[in-house]
């Protein structure tokens, strides 16, 4: 079976609908046809200031949400990045073949560092995409299922793998990106011009997987729409309404065009009601299962330790190949 690798940052106390639609839904489906490796990328999370106790808690919560959303930790490999040392080690080697200009062109760094100012941003935030490349390349991943915002980082990963191979001989697998058109980008409900984001500025615009029914419903009912009053899919002119239609289409597994016709002649209230019901029904069992898993942190930690062992075996073998290829002297 082809290998798949993907991951999420434990940078908030819950995942959100964007993470669910853009990544988790693909992961759940692909784990049956692929040898799947899913990571909670805590090394990435510390590229911006983090509270240590909070980071630990968020790491467990993220892992619990993967499982609650349907990732099977017996069948797939679900582990925490910092448990496998090879990630930081391969990242170092890849740092040395990445151009400064090339790294400077990463738009996520530009966006994230714009908030604090480039001078205040950490060098870790700058080299973040190179660590991401290491994650993927360590597992010889054939495919990386992600949302649209990760496209440029996977492109860099492909460039680095190809460059390494041409300099040092065939060593690394060049991965394909997998982004599903319909789920690639979920927008903030209050600000439908920007993506729904863990670090989003508008608390009312983000649908957290661990929100209760009431909070989800309230946020959906107050989603920003427009004054034109017609339910129609038109992302350019009607971003708010189109985002709601996309969400409903994704969760009901139907094409947007078909969902759109259900609301012929109906008002935005009807659309919001239907979206609220769909999101609440989707997240309720996931939330319940997550809380159940978090009730027994020792069991969760035990699962993560077993999975880290599996991940480490694959990663260490790749790192040995890389060290050998660049000419490091084997330790006797
Ligand atoms: P992160 O933690 O920001 O997001 C996790 C996944 O969710 C997707 N996503 C979205 N999809 C649709 N609409 C949205 N509004 C939305 N917001 C987030 C992301 O595209 C992603 O698939 N750098 C990565 C983590 C990472 C990684 C990796 C991913 C580290 N190493 C290796 C893949 C492979 C990140 O910050 O994702």
């Amino acid at each position: 079976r082809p290998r798949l690798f993907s991951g999420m940052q434990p940078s908030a106390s819950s995942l959100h609908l964007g993470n669910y639609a853009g990544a988790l839904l693909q992961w759940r489906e692909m784990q049956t046809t692929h040898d799947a490796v899913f990571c909670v990328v805590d090394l990435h999370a510390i590229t911006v200031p983090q509270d240590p106790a909070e980071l630990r808690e968020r790491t467990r919560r993220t892992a619990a949400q993967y499982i609650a959303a349907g990732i099977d930790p017996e069948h797939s490999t679900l582990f925490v990045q910092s448990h496998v040392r090879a990630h930081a080690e391969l990242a170092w080697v890849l740092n040395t073949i990445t151009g400064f200009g090339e790294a400077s062109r990463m738009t996520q760094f530009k966006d994230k560092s714009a908030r604090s100012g480039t001078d205040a941003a950490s060098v870790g935030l700058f080299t973040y995409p190179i660590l991401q490349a290491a994650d993927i390349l360590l597992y010889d991943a054939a495919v990386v299922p992600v949302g649209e915002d990760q496209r440029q980082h996977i492109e860099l990963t492909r460039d680095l793998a190809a460059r390494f191979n041409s300099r040092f001989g065939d060593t690394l697998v060049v991965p394909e990106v997998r982004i599903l058109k319909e789920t690639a980008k979920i927008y903030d409900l209050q600000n439908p011009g920007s993506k729904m984001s863990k670090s989003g500025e508008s608390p009312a615009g983000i649908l957290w997987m661990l929100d209760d029914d009431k909070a989800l419903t309230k946020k959906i009912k107050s989603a920003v729409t427009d004054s034109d009053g017609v339910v129609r899919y038109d992302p350019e002119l009607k971003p708010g309404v189109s985002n709601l239609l996309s969400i409903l289409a994704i969760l009901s597994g139907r094409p947007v065009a078909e969902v759109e016709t259900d609301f012929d002649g109906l008002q935005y209230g009807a659309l919001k009601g239907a979206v609220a019901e769909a999101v609440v029904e989707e997240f309720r069992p996931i939330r319940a299962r997550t809380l159940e898993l978090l009730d027994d942190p020792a069991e969760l930690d035990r699962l993560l330790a077993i999975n880290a062992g599996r991940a480490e075996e694959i990663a260490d073998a790749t790192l040995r190949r890389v060290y050998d290829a660049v000419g490091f002297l084997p330790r006797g």
Side-chain angles (χ1 to χ4, degrees), residues 229-233 245 256-268 270-271:
V230 183
V231 177
R232 187 164 53 82
Y233 185 76
L245 280 169
V256 174
E258 199 183 301
V259 173
E260 192 182 18
T261 58
D262 287 357
F263 296 93
D264 266 354
L266 295 180
Q267 313 220 307
Y268 294 161
L271 173 62

Side-chain angles (χ1 to χ4, degrees), residues 74-231:
E74 311 283 341
H75 187 73
S76 301
T77 303
L78 189 178
F79 75 105
V80 174
Q81 190 185 28
S82 63
H83 292 174
V84 178
R85 291 184 185 177
H87 291 253
E89 295 182 50
L90 180 59
W92 176 255
V93 176
L94 296 177
N95 270 326
T96 66
I97 64 161
T98 308
F100 193 84
E102 187 176 35
S104 307
R105 283 191 289 278
M106 295 293 117
T107 57
Q108 191 164 304
F109 173 75
K110 289 191 211 164
D111 292 348
K112 287 195 177 174
S113 60
R115 271 177 233 152
S116 60
T118 327
D119 276 358
S122 72
V123 174
L125 189 65
F126 183 67
T127 57
Y128 177 117
I130 304 165
L131 177 61
Q132 180 164 351
D135 297 341
I136 297 165
L137 299 177
L138 273 178
Y139 296 90
D140 293 330
V143 58
V144 186
V146 286
E148 180 61 41
D149 59 347
Q150 297 301 312
R151 187 187 291 279
Q152 196 188 29
H153 289 173
I154 314 305
E155 224 17 79
L156 175 72
T157 304
R158 290 169 51 82
D159 290 347
L160 293 179
R163 187 174 309 152
F164 188 96
N165 289 343
S166 79
R167 261 186 222 175
F168 299 109
D170 222 357
T171 312
L172 298 169
V173 174
V174 181
E176 299 290 332
V177 67
R178 187 173 189 264
I179 299 171
L180 296 183
K181 194 164 116 275
E182 316 79 57
T183 58
K185 198 161 178 184
I186 302 292
Y187 294 87
D188 185 302
L189 299 183
Q190 285 301 314
N191 186 5
S194 349
K195 68 167 181 176
M196 192 177 285
S197 152
K198 291 199 203 88
S199 51
E201 256 93 80
S202 53
I206 307 168
L207 299 172
W208 300 107
M209 274 167 62
L210 302 182
D211 272 344
D212 62 28
D213 296 357
K214 230 175 102 191
L216 290 169
T217 305
K218 189 166 169 222
K219 285 190 251 186
I220 294 163
K221 295 259 158 104
S222 36
V224 166
T225 50
D226 52 56
S227 55
D228 139 66
V230 183
V231 177

Side-chain angles (χ1 to χ4, degrees), residues 272-286:
K272 288 179 171 179
V275 173
E277 194 183 318
V279 173
V280 161
E281 294 303 320
E282 189 84 10
F283 282 176
R284 188 186 291 136
I286 297 178

